[in-house]
Amino acid sequence: MKERALPNPGWGPLSALPGNPLMWVLILSEMLVFSAFFALYAAERVAATALFDASQQELDPLMGGLNTLVLLTSGLCVALAVEAVGGERIRRARQWLGGAMALGVLFGVIKGVEYSSKFAAGITPETNAFFGFYYGLTAFHFAHVLFGLALLALLALVTWRTSTENVETAAAFWHMVDLIWILLYPLLYLLR
């Protein structure tokens, strides 16, 4: 029985991962950066539990939950694009990527509405440590959403870029964006 060749020979443990191994290096480094921010947030929360609990009451967990649903649905669209491109259904893959992009934009609109309501209420990053983390972490996450949208747009709009490896590479990044939000949502909106 012939062994299946690794998609990226010569990359050691990264060889068996889908997409470009350099994207996995980026993903791992970004996960380390977010982990450091989460650890700092946890330490600050322990030091000022009452402040963080009171400030957290100013957030709308339904808006955060809606954004979670939107972002995870976009992740499903990306997974379906990977399946479609693997079956050489390029047009269908591009449609799924377009759906993921539309949902990613909707995520941004919802986050913009949320930011606007906070600013209108006079709540800014300088309000206190909790809101410094809230704006900092969610804005840093949103920067990753924008980069992910650019990757998806490149694949959905430029036909010759819609290859299996490229779609898998963008999907890996987009799923990291999902994972970070899955951690941010309870951390900022729910955990008391």
Side-chain angles (χ1 to χ4, degrees):
M1 185 164 135
K2 184 179 175 184
E3 280 190 42
R4 195 179 121 201
L6 293 173
N8 301 295
W11 280 88
L14 299 178
S15 294
L17 295 173
N20 190 304
L22 287 176
M23 180 57 77
W24 289 96
V25 171
L26 175 66
I27 289 169
L28 292 172
S29 66
E30 292 301 304
M31 294 298 289
L32 287 173
V33 170
F34 272 104
S35 296
F37 284 137
F38 292 162
L40 184 57
Y41 174 87
E44 291 292 323
R45 183 174 183 82
V46 168
T49 304
L51 171 74
F52 275 59
D53 285 346
S55 298
Q56 205 172 32
Q57 298 297 320
E58 299 294 325
L59 297 182
D60 184 353
L62 291 177
M63 289 288 277
L66 177 61
N67 248 352
T68 302
L69 181 62
V70 167
L71 200 56
L72 290 178
T73 304
S74 75
L76 173 62
C77 290
V78 168
L80 291 169
V82 169
E83 181 183 329
V85 78
E88 298 192 20
R89 297 184 319 272
I90 302 300
R91 182 172 180 209
R92 176 63 68 193
R94 292 173 68 211
Q95 290 169 340
W96 284 119
L97 292 169
M101 287 171 38
L103 290 166
V105 169
L106 179 58
F107 175 90
V109 168
I110 294 168
K111 184 51 63 189
V113 167
E114 194 175 7
Y115 280 171
S116 295
S117 72
K118 294 294 162 264
F119 277 109
I123 299 171
T124 69
E126 290 83 27
T127 299
N128 60 37
F130 174 81
F131 283 107
F133 277 107
Y134 166 75
Y135 283 109
L137 286 168
T138 58
F140 190 49
H141 174 264
F142 189 64
H144 288 78
V145 170
L146 292 176
F147 180 73
L149 285 173
L151 288 175
L152 297 177
L154 183 65
L155 297 175
L157 302 175
V158 182
T159 306
W160 59 271
R161 291 277 187 201
T162 313
S163 69
T164 300
E165 180 183 16
N166 288 345
V167 173
E168 287 177 344
T169 300
F173 186 84
W174 196 253
H175 292 316
M176 181 211 58
V177 169
D178 286 346
L179 175 61
I180 295 299
W181 184 256
I182 289 171
L183 297 172
L184 275 176
Y185 173 58
L187 187 71
L188 295 173
Y189 290 81
L190 304 176
L191 295 178
R192 304 260 189 296

